[in-house]
Amino acid sequence: MDTHAFPVTRTDAEWRARLTPEQYAVMRNHGTERPGSCALLYEKRAGTFFCVGCDQPLFESKLKFESGTGWPSFNDPVPGSIETTVDRSYGMVRTECHCSRCGSHLGHVFEDGPPPTGLRYCINGVALRFEPAA
């Protein structure tokens, strides 16, 4: 991912100015928020979840589900909004997902979700901004 050119790029100073320290740690340094710590985990209204880094629409609320993991979970992203890479950190092999527009780390995708996709996009809530449907 480090050599991939994304449509939205910012300097480190610009990222730090745009993001809170927790958002920066998660989105730019591949961190993870504490499970259960984000209010968006409990968001149930109709609407869209956007990337905090670049405002790209990432997930529609109709595809959000309760996974019991402590992070917002979705079974399918907005088409073209998410890219993946192999994450070999912490002695595991996982699939990392990041924003296709700015490259920000969002979370991971697992193959233990509900139908119809069977996928669980486990996303750090601090990387998301929710906008209710009009």
Side-chain angles (χ1 to χ4, degrees):
M1 182 171 88
D2 294 334
T3 61
H4 181 70
F6 293 96
V8 172
T9 59
R10 303 187 197 301
T11 65
D12 188 63
E14 289 169 332
W15 281 118
R16 288 182 185 278
R18 181 178 179 93
L19 305 174
T20 67
E22 184 181 22
Q23 288 169 329
Y24 183 88
V26 168
M27 299 176 76
R28 305 314 302 168
N29 288 331
H30 303 264
T32 302
E33 69 188 357
R34 240 179 36 256
S37 66
C38 181
L40 290 181
L41 177 62
Y42 308 103
E43 181 58 66
K44 298 191 185 312
R45 295 175 290 172
T48 304
F49 293 86
F50 294 83
C51 175
V52 171
C54 69
D55 298 317
Q56 173 169 245
L58 299 173
F59 299 98
E60 296 295 329
S61 62
K62 65 185 173 192
L63 297 175
K64 184 175 184 280
F65 65 93
E66 297 297 327
S67 66
T69 61
W71 291 279
S73 295
F74 305 85
N75 67 2
D76 214 12
V78 170
S81 67
I82 302 288
E83 292 180 354
T84 61
T85 55
V86 175
D87 176 0
R88 288 181 163 69
S89 63
Y90 304 106
M92 298 180 274
V93 177
R94 300 177 290 173
T95 302
E96 176 197 350
C97 53
H98 56 272
C99 176
S100 66
R101 191 168 174 206
C102 70
S104 291
H105 170 76
L106 302 171
H108 293 85
V109 61
F110 301 95
E111 295 180 352
D112 61 0
T117 66
L119 299 176
R120 174 174 54 95
Y121 286 83
C122 188
I123 306 299
N124 288 285
V126 297
L128 302 173
R129 175 181 62 79
F130 179 73
E131 189 172 303

